[in-house]
Amino acid sequence: MPGTPTRTFDVIVIGAGPVGENVADRTTAAGLDTVVVEAELVGGECSYWACDPSKALLRPVLAHSELHGVPGLESAADQPLDASAVLKHRDAWASQWDDAGQVEWLDKAGISLIRGHGRLAGPKEVTVTTPEGDLLLLTARHAVAVCTGTSAALPPLPDLEALRPWTSREATSAKEVPARLAILGAGVVAVEMATAWQALGAQVTLIAREPGLLPRVERFAADLVTERLRESGVDIRFDSGIASAVRQGSSDSNSNSNSTSNSNSSQVLITLIDGSEIVADELLLATGRAPRTGNLGLETVGLQPGDWLTTDDMFTVEEVSGEWLYAVGDVNRRALFTHQGKYQARIAGAVIAARAHRRPLDIRRWSRFVGTADHVAVPQVVFTDPEVASVGLTTAEAERTGQAVDVVDYEIGQVAGAAMYKAGYRGHARMLVDPKRHTVLGATFAGPGVAELLHSATVAIAGEVPVERLWHAVPAFPTISEVWLRLLETYRDQSTTV
């Protein structure tokens, strides 16, 4: 590219979400001159359209629900949520969709930022098209890390542009509560947004192509979420789908992802596959994620545009030689969670630094640990009412993979700490144990406040802690964590009766 301005760095990171920020932080701390390229807001999906705003919407909803059964607060539970206050709280957590604070953090960390769309242009080369339309060529001495994440995968409905559906972005950034919201999907985004918007005053219809919600979690947990959604007024249509959808009337809706408003003059007419019809003000398509690699220049390094990027346990892209190209976070499809992406970023940053400084890596040791963290002990919380917290294998996964497990169940409401948490506590815990090694292989908790139980389960699985050793980790009384003691007692009783 003769005449194109060129700059050289040790490391180029494409994408300034939490993953890209963490890669850059680690390489910069190791003394490598690092630049981050970002086309949108510094802070990425998690900060503005996913984790932070969605949980800011959901926390007041869950706290309000938990007032039922707490003496002295029942009357407050009967009062509706102040939707405008909740949305204002959400806006604050999304920093009003202003990334000045994140940019300041990059600057303090000594990380360079170039705004614009970055594309690979060959080995260790990245072109950036700036917002002004200028072209800049960046070259890396050591590494390029792709941290571009994912975007919503939309179903093949006709005239999608005219339909103006919500994706997860619009669902977490909408400025008003729609009177009627239809959601297509059965996964985490679908159930969390159904929980939030129903509580804020929308009439929600959830259209699930599957026979049940949350197909990747234990059935008992999904059933508890389904029951509670129905109790709250959500209309759930299982084994269904959308045959067609048309937006009727005019709308002043702003299609920008950080500002969605609703107009009573516009509505969506949805025809389901059974011929029935639903009328909604907004339609949320929560049907999965796709890698943001379609316009990344993958073809310049022998890869297929639009594909997921497969990596080894050092997060080096396997199909590209030379150990210079890394794919970190959701884009590698190993574990699509922000916390896992940040973990990967810490590993990748350390690997890049070690290779750049020609320090030896204990590949076998690292691979074992990374493999455990990214495949065996991946924690997830679904922030519904009730919460679902899980890590490791589920019963269905164990059956599918042929892994023998001892299944241990306990009703969390029978634990003193849960009964004190709220009257009529409904929740369930399951622990899966390897019958030969007597270590925990999986754990799922469903109930109010169970998210904070998850890290202990993750430690038990990642650390391969024998059950006999877990007996000596004493839970405080009276807390919900005492369910661990009850699970261990149940496992002991089951073992002695076999």
Side-chain angles (χ1 to χ4, degrees):
M1 302 176 201
T4 302
T6 302
R7 295 179 64 182
T8 300
F9 297 87
D10 291 327
V11 180
I12 301 170
V13 178
I14 305 177
V19 174
E21 288 176 329
N22 273 270
V23 171
D25 186 40
R26 291 304 169 107
T27 56
T28 300
L32 300 178
D33 185 21
T34 302
V35 63
V36 173
V37 180
E38 177 54 58
E40 296 186 283
L41 296 177
V42 175
E45 202 78 13
C46 181
S47 298
Y48 307 103
W49 301 288
C51 320
D52 288 356
S54 68
K55 303 318 170 278
L57 285 173
L58 284 159
R59 179 58 198 143
V61 169
L62 300 184
H64 183 258
S65 174
E66 289 174 5
L67 295 178
H68 289 285
V70 180
L73 294 174
E74 292 281 5
S75 59
D78 294 331
Q79 299 299 314
L81 280 167
D82 183 341
S84 62
V86 174
L87 295 179
K88 184 178 180 180
H89 170 68
R90 183 274 320 272
D91 292 351
W93 269 96
S95 302
Q96 313 297 331
W97 291 272
D98 184 334
D99 65 0
Q102 300 271 21
V103 173
E104 182 181 2
W105 178 86
L106 285 179
D107 185 59
K108 288 182 178 179
I111 302 166
S112 299
L113 169 66
I114 295 178
R115 292 191 183 271
H117 179 73
R119 298 180 83 255
L120 294 168
K124 297 184 181 180
E125 290 187 341
V126 174
T127 59
V128 181
T129 303
T130 69
E132 297 75 26
D134 298 326
L135 191 66
L136 177 65
L137 175 64
L138 308 180
T139 62
R141 297 184 185 92
H142 300 293
V144 175
V146 175
C147 308
T148 51
T150 61
S151 57
L154 300 179
L157 292 174
D159 299 321
L160 265 177
E161 184 174 350
L163 183 61
R164 298 192 304 278
W166 279 8
T167 66
S168 54
R169 283 196 168 194
E170 289 77 20
T172 57
S173 64
K175 298 301 184 183
E176 299 174 9
V177 180
R180 301 162 298 182
L181 174 63
I183 302 175
L184 177 64
V188 174
V189 171
V191 297
E192 286 191 345
M193 290 300 96
T195 299
W197 289 110
Q198 179 73 30
L200 291 173
Q203 174 54 58
V204 175
T205 302
L206 189 55
I207 306 161
R209 293 179 290 190
E210 296 82 357
L213 301 179
L214 297 172
R216 296 184 180 180
V217 307
E218 294 280 9
R219 282 300 85 208
F220 71 80
D223 289 344
L224 283 170
V225 172
T226 302
E227 179 183 356
R228 186 68 191 96
L229 282 172
R230 282 181 163 152
E231 288 175 354
S232 72
V234 175
D235 179 10
I236 304 177
R237 311 287 184 92
F238 287 125
D239 291 314
S240 188
I242 296 178
S244 65
V246 176
R247 183 172 287 277
Q248 300 175 325
S250 62
S251 174
D252 296 326
S253 178
N254 185 337
S255 61
N256 290 335
S257 57
N258 64 346
S259 178
T260 302
S261 59
N262 306 300
S263 172
N264 291 331
S265 62
S266 175
Q267 60 186 23
V268 182
L269 176 61
I270 303 165
T271 303
L272 301 183
I273 57 175
D274 64 1
S276 61
E277 293 184 343
I278 296 170
V279 178
D281 298 288
E282 300 293 350
L283 169 62
L284 165 59
L285 300 177
T287 49
R289 308 293 294 178
R292 285 183 178 163
T293 60
N295 188 21
L296 192 60
L298 295 184
E299 67 279 3
T300 66
V301 293
L303 300 175
Q304 183 65 37
D307 279 358
W308 300 92
L309 298 178
T310 304
T311 72
D312 60 20
D313 286 335
M314 304 295 100
F315 303 102
T316 314
V317 177
E318 291 183 336
E319 297 179 38
V320 176
S321 62
E323 295 183 338
W324 64 271
L325 183 61
Y326 296 76
V328 194
D330 287 5
V331 75
N332 62 35
R333 209 181 192 179
R334 292 168 69 103
L336 275 65
F337 302 107
T338 295
H339 47 273
Q340 292 298 129
K342 291 166 71 173
Y343 164 76
Q344 294 176 11
R346 295 190 291 270
I347 298 295
V351 170
I352 291 169
R355 287 172 171 167
H357 294 307
R358 297 184 179 180
R359 294 196 299 263
L361 288 171
D362 187 343
I363 300 296
R364 181 176 299 178
R365 175 174 173 270
W366 279 55
S367 291
R368 180 191 173 196
F369 292 157
V370 173
T372 297
D374 257 3
H375 300 294
V376 178
V378 178
Q380 177 185 12
V381 178
V382 186
F383 291 88
T384 44
D385 178 14
E387 292 175 343
V388 178
S390 60
V391 60
L393 284 178
T394 64
T395 311
E397 289 169 341
E399 292 175 354
R400 186 174 65 252
T401 59
Q403 171 69 55
V405 293
D406 291 331
V407 180
V408 188
D409 288 294
Y410 198 83
E411 292 296 326
I412 303 177
Q414 296 179 20
V415 174
M420 190 172 291
Y421 191 90
K422 61 177 295 181
Y425 187 106
R426 284 186 290 176
H428 192 85
R430 174 169 291 178
M431 178 176 69
L432 304 183
V433 179
D434 185 327
K436 293 183 178 179
R437 301 180 64 211
H438 302 290
T439 56
V440 180
L441 297 178
T444 298
F445 308 94
V450 299
E452 300 305 329
L453 295 177
L454 189 56
H455 190 59
S456 56
T458 305
V459 170
I461 295 172
E464 300 177 344
V465 182
V467 170
E468 64 180 15
R469 187 66 181 269
L470 287 178
W471 275 102
H472 300 283
V474 182
F477 177 88
T479 64
I480 299 175
S481 63
E482 196 179 4
V483 72
W484 275 107
L485 175 59
R486 304 307 171 207
L487 286 168
L488 293 172
E489 290 174 338
T490 303
Y491 178 61
R492 175 200 60 196
D493 294 342
Q494 287 180 187
S495 300
T496 57
T497 57
V498 173

